[in-house]
Amino acid sequence: MSWELERPWRPAYEVYAAVAWLLTASGAVYAMLKAPLPREAFAILLLCGLALGIWRMFQALQVWRMRMSLEGRPVEWVSSEEVHRKMLARPGHVWVGWGFNWSRIHMQRLYELEKIDVQKLRVPCARMWRHLTKLSAPQKGNALLHGVEPIEHDLYVPLSDLE
């Protein structure tokens, strides 16, 4: 059993490391152009700086994605034809909507959210994100319950469970 420590509601400290590595890469470019030294060492530093900067920025984006999931999701209207297609995709099941299968990690995330002020979990460019995803529209469900998992998928219930 793996006990991985997860702290999704913390600040994205990886941004500082990403900026430092990208500044290192830009310094390597400047040194390649201006310094009368062999360029191979600076080229290696440039590649390492870019790779590590991109890797750390990707980690920061994962933290921000978790925090942005707390912004809520807009109500989605589904046509009867789409519901019919979803029902045909899984015979013997009823499509109940979008969501995720709850596990203990989701309960732990919700428990951690109850101990902090959710309003302080700001993400850079959150206003732009809300505008792009049309979150000014009515929101579905409880943002905290939907926010503990950023990726939702179709949920089905077997017909035998509904008897």
Side-chain angles (χ1 to χ4, degrees), residues 7 15 26-27 49 56 68 91 113 116-117 125 134-135 141 147 160:
R7 294 197 33 165
V15 172
S26 64
R56 297 299 272 179
M68 281 304 296
L113 277 174
I116 59 176
D117 183 12
C125 304
K134 299 175 180 74
L135 284 179
S160 60

Side-chain angles (χ1 to χ4, degrees), residues 25 43 48 61 70-71 97 101 106-107 109 122-124 130 141 146:
C48 289
L61 289 174
L70 296 173
E71 296 289 327
N101 295 323
H106 300 108
M107 291 302 298
R109 289 175 185 168
R122 303 214 186 263
V123 176
R130 277 189 223 108
H146 284 276

Side-chain angles (χ1 to χ4, degrees), residues 7 12 16 35 58 64 78 91 121 147 151:
R7 294 197 33 165
Y16 302 122
F58 179 72
W64 286 339
V78 182
L121 293 177
I151 300 170

Side-chain angles (χ1 to χ4, degrees), residues 23-148:
L23 286 175
T24 301
S26 64
V29 169
Y30 180 78
M32 283 174 65
L33 297 174
K34 299 292 183 178
L37 296 170
R39 295 180 182 219
E40 290 81 15
F42 294 117
I44 292 171
L45 182 60
L46 169 66
L47 292 175
C48 289
L50 282 176
L52 291 170
I54 291 169
W55 176 56
R56 297 299 272 179
M57 188 56 75
F58 179 72
Q59 290 176 331
L61 289 174
Q62 288 177 325
V63 172
W64 286 339
R65 184 183 75 171
M66 279 298 298
R67 291 170 67 174
M68 281 304 296
S69 66
L70 296 173
E71 296 289 327
R73 292 181 173 93
V75 172
E76 299 177 43
W77 300 101
V78 182
S79 68
S80 58
E81 292 84 18
E82 187 175 352
V83 172
H84 183 68
R85 270 188 270 118
K86 289 181 182 291
M87 297 289 279
L88 290 176
R90 298 267 310 260
H93 290 75
V94 175
W95 179 73
V96 293
W98 296 281
F100 53 92
N101 295 323
W102 274 78
S103 66
R104 69 180 168 87
I105 192 70
H106 300 108
M107 291 302 298
Q108 182 65 36
R109 289 175 185 168
L110 189 60
Y111 174 74
E112 295 294 330
L113 277 174
E114 289 177 349
K115 296 191 293 185
I116 59 176
D117 183 12
V118 177
Q119 300 301 323
K120 291 183 180 178
L121 293 177
R122 303 214 186 263
V123 176
C125 304
R127 182 176 294 162
M128 181 182 70
W129 174 262
R130 277 189 223 108
H131 177 70
L132 290 174
T133 57
K134 299 175 180 74
L135 284 179
S136 57
Q139 293 185 9
K140 67 176 180 182
N142 185 334
L144 292 182
L145 293 178
H146 284 276
V148 295

